[in-house]
Amino acid sequence: MIQDSGIASLLRKNIRLLKPYASARNEYSGDARIFLDANENYRGFTSHQVNRYPDPLQRELKEKLAALRGCTPHQIFLGNGSDEAIDLIIRAFAEPGSDKAVIMPPTYGVYQVFADLNDIETIRMPLQEDFSLDLEGLSILFEHRDFAGDLKLLFVCSPNNPTGNAFPHGDILRLVNSFPGIVVIDEAYQDFHDGPSNLSLIEKYSNVIVLQTFSKAWGMAGARVGMAYGSPEIIRVLNTIKYPYNVSVLSQQAALEALDHAEEVVREIDVIREAREKLSRSLAELPYVEKVYPSEANFLLVKTIHAAGLCSSLKQQGIIIRNREHEYRCSGCVRITVGSSEENRMLLDALQSITLEKERT
Ligand code: PMP
């Protein structure tokens, strides 16, 4: 937890001193009759209205989203997927070559890749055998005198990819209260989780950023719109360092339209959750499946006797699942997304036709 109210002391020095680029549409945002400020073409040539640059701060979309999530537009950053937010958060807070980010494998691989890309060392504090947080190990780490000053970021993915479990709110709160830097809580799969979101933490804790996305429950992976929620101070920093027009006109329109279908989305989430449980039961009956892990997301982690063999057999039948056997504590595991009822039925038909032998090691 940050003692003083500001986050300035945690920012990278060059980011603290950065003079932001102001795009034409940053400088003027009202209703004018004629826009001759951004070197656009006055006409377009497709059926989409894309000849004008988008609103760089996506104000209409943020207003609507803020109303849904019970926060203010100034607490929302919108990016080219939440992946963009992950990259920007690392770039804003971690000094290359010296600062460190804590990740808890097995987890979403992008944290490691973007940390590497930004020359940020990662400290890996694995989840326990049952995929719960190693709170004791983390607390020792946070107080370790060789690290404590350099620990800038902690990534907590809940529900976690690829394990599917969500961490108890109380455990996350403990981390927020004890971590010396920014805690990023990635809630990409929260819509599928029965338990409460951690979003309310941004009101009280200036070191918390919560990530969500339109890619999963909202059915918009192709549009690339993700959210980071945090204090207005953090959001201002992310807006300063993002690409000037990072969310396209088409993507903003699609997200605005999706928000009009919020009730339908909620109904579909129920359908997916029910299908997940049904699929889980059917998978558990297959002779080569050793365990189906409980899931609060829209996928299942499944331990098999031969992950690579299963993936290639399914591939021959035109069905692609994800081999996760090389992830920490995931030997023999595959990750399967819950599809439509038709897709799930075809998957199960294919799985029942497959015979697998235990992988030789
Ligand atoms: N976080 C997690 C845990 C994910 O699994 C993903 C995508 N697979 C993302 C973030 C990125 O989502 P997007 O960039 O599509 O918003």
Side-chain angles (χ1 to χ4, degrees), residues 85-136:
I86 296 169
D87 183 37
L88 292 183
I89 291 164
I90 294 173
R91 282 202 265 158
F93 292 102
E95 196 73 54
S98 59
D99 284 340
K100 298 170 180 47
V102 182
I103 59 171
M104 299 183 281
T107 193
Y108 184 39
V110 153
Y111 312 141
Q112 175 78 57
V113 174
F114 284 0
D116 290 345
L117 199 59
N118 287 292
D119 194 17
I120 303 303
E121 186 187 332
T122 49
I123 298 191
R124 298 158 71 84
M125 182 57 69
L127 298 177
Q128 310 204 79
E129 194 144 359
D130 62 354
F131 297 141
S132 61
L133 295 169
D134 182 355
L135 290 174
E136 210 180 308

Side-chain angles (χ1 to χ4, degrees), residues 12 30 41 51 64 99 118-119 148 182 188 191-192 213 218-219 247 287 346-347 358:
R12 267 174 69 181
N41 196 325
N51 60 317
K64 214 162 166 177
D99 284 340
N118 287 292
D119 194 17
I182 301 285
D191 294 305
F192 301 102
T213 181
W218 292 88
V247 183
M346 287 166 70
L347 168 74
K358 195 168 174 68

Side-chain angles (χ1 to χ4, degrees), residues 5 15-16 57 66 104 111 113 208 247 265 302-303 326 337 361:
S5 62
I15 302 290
R16 216 164 36 227
L57 290 171
M104 299 183 281
Y111 312 141
V113 174
V208 170
V247 183
V265 171
V302 184
K303 190 172 176 64
H326 298 302
T337 307
T361 46

Side-chain angles (χ1 to χ4, degrees), residues 36 254 272 312 329:
L36 300 175
I272 292 171
S312 71
R329 289 200 198 286

Side-chain angles (χ1 to χ4, degrees), residues 79-86 107-111 157-162 186-189 211-216 220-222 224-227 299 322 335:
N80 182 355
S82 47
D83 280 342
E84 183 187 4
I86 296 169
T107 193
Y108 184 39
V110 153
Y111 312 141
C157 187
S158 183
N160 187 38
N161 177 7
D186 187 342
E187 291 193 343
Y189 299 97
L211 304 179
Q212 294 183 355
T213 181
F214 277 96
S215 296
K216 311 294 178 185
M220 277 184 36
R224 313 302 303 125
V225 186
M227 308 72 123
F299 57 80
R322 197 101 201 265
R335 195 192 66 198

Side-chain angles (χ1 to χ4, degrees), residues 153-211:
L153 294 164
L154 168 66
F155 287 96
V156 186
C157 187
S158 183
N160 187 38
N161 177 7
T163 59
N165 61 311
F167 305 119
H169 182 69
D171 288 2
I172 292 179
L173 196 56
R174 247 176 91 173
L175 300 183
V176 168
N177 274 305
S178 55
F179 187 66
I182 301 285
V183 181
V184 182
I185 307 169
D186 187 342
E187 291 193 343
Y189 299 97
Q190 173 58 30
D191 294 305
F192 301 102
H193 178 213
D194 228 356
S197 161
N198 296 284
L199 187 54
S200 61
L201 293 178
I202 64 165
E203 297 295 339
K204 185 166 169 213
Y205 296 93
S206 52
N207 64 330
V208 170
I209 301 176
V210 174
L211 304 179

